[in-house]
Amino acid sequence: MTQKLPLLLVQMGHPPTDIRRAVGEQPAWFSAALGDVGPISVVCPFEGEALPAVGTFSGAVISGSWAMVTEHEAWSERTAEWLRGIIQAGVPVLGVCYGHQLMAYALGGVVDYHPKGSEVGQIAVTLNDAALDDPLLNGLPKTFDTFLSHEQSVLELPPGAVVLGASHHDPHQIIRYSPYVFSVQFHPEFSAPVMNKIITSRSERVAMKGKDRDALLAAVNDTPFSRAILQRFVASL
């Protein structure tokens, strides 16, 4: 029996220390959201680790980060170049938050700070007509809650990209680039404790400027339909 190739999680940075101590790191969040899906391999390009070759993993998930795409860090640019290569080779890829922005940037879109500021908390995303037949979105409610925490956004789409969902704040919440390449601005891997800790973290004080922390905390519950998108992506590999 042929052993299944691992899912590759490309971790794009460590959480701030207080968040990491309270709720752990991204690989644990993704693992908890996915349950028992088989082997998961983690690579950390920000620590100088080499990104693996096509054929050594079944598909890739590109995580969020506390860095900014517009900082053009060398490890981020290296990951963008690698993304262009694996996407051209037909590898399934899902980008999450920073991963969503990096994919759009790598494929020719424009990423920068959102002109209306940050988007933080449990927030509704609404699907459009183009999402009706999408395999990762088919059967989901037209509007469902997601966990969000970002300052930058995809401001201009890459050529050929299709928007499938939006929030009131950000019109590019869900983007499909090809039949196998997809990204979301929100965090399907977040749990309520992770979202709560981000809202209360001192490291998030810039993103939280002008926001009602208590109101945001009161709204945090669960985002099962958001999580289902991540689960469906991995199940399709």
Side-chain angles (χ1 to χ4, degrees), residues 6-237:
L7 169 69
L8 179 67
L9 175 62
V10 184
Q11 183 177 345
M12 301 300 282
H14 291 301
T17 301
D18 63 329
I19 294 175
R20 198 185 325 173
R21 287 174 176 169
V23 291
E25 295 234 25
Q26 288 100 314
W29 306 344
F30 279 98
S31 181
L34 286 167
D36 185 12
V37 294
I40 300 176
S41 176
V42 180
V43 63
C44 298
F46 65 98
E47 292 186 338
E49 294 180 1
L51 290 152
V54 171
T56 61
F57 55 97
S58 59
V61 175
I62 317 302
S63 83
S65 179
W66 275 259
M68 298 294 170
V69 169
T70 58
E71 293 170 348
H72 300 295
E73 296 280 359
W75 56 266
S76 184
E77 294 295 303
R78 178 166 61 91
T79 305
E81 182 178 1
W82 173 82
L83 275 170
R84 286 189 287 270
I86 68 167
I87 289 169
Q88 187 173 18
V91 176
V93 185
L94 172 65
V96 173
C97 195
Y98 188 95
H100 165 81
Q101 298 162 17
L102 187 67
M103 284 169 60
Y105 161 75
L107 296 174
V110 175
V111 172
D112 211 330
Y113 286 94
H114 194 291
K116 294 183 179 179
S118 63
E119 188 176 34
V120 181
Q122 184 165 324
I123 294 166
V125 165
T126 299
L127 303 178
N128 60 29
D129 290 344
L132 293 177
D133 297 323
D134 190 273
L136 294 185
L137 304 175
N138 183 39
L140 296 182
K142 184 173 178 62
T143 298
F144 55 88
D145 279 356
T146 68
F147 289 140
L148 280 147
S149 178
H150 69 112
E151 294 179 64
Q152 295 198 331
S153 293
V154 177
L155 301 185
E156 294 182 20
L157 297 175
V162 178
V163 176
L164 302 177
S167 66
H168 287 301
H169 181 85
D170 192 327
H172 302 145
Q173 285 285 346
I174 306 175
I175 303 173
R176 185 174 283 286
Y177 309 87
S178 81
Y180 306 103
V181 182
F182 186 91
S183 69
V184 295
Q185 179 57 71
F186 50 85
H187 285 273
E189 83 283 13
F190 275 13
S191 63
V194 172
M195 188 72 258
N196 283 331
K197 182 57 187 175
I198 287 171
I199 291 169
T200 59
S201 171
R202 284 181 57 81
S203 64
E204 302 299 301
R205 59 188 177 275
V206 174
M208 287 292 294
K209 186 176 181 180
K211 292 178 168 48
D212 185 333
R213 188 183 77 165
D214 291 342
L216 291 179
L217 289 171
V220 172
N221 183 7
D222 193 15
T223 60
F225 297 111
S226 167
R227 187 163 57 248
I229 296 170
L230 171 65
Q231 294 167 343
R232 288 179 178 190
F233 172 79
V234 175
S236 73
L237 300 177

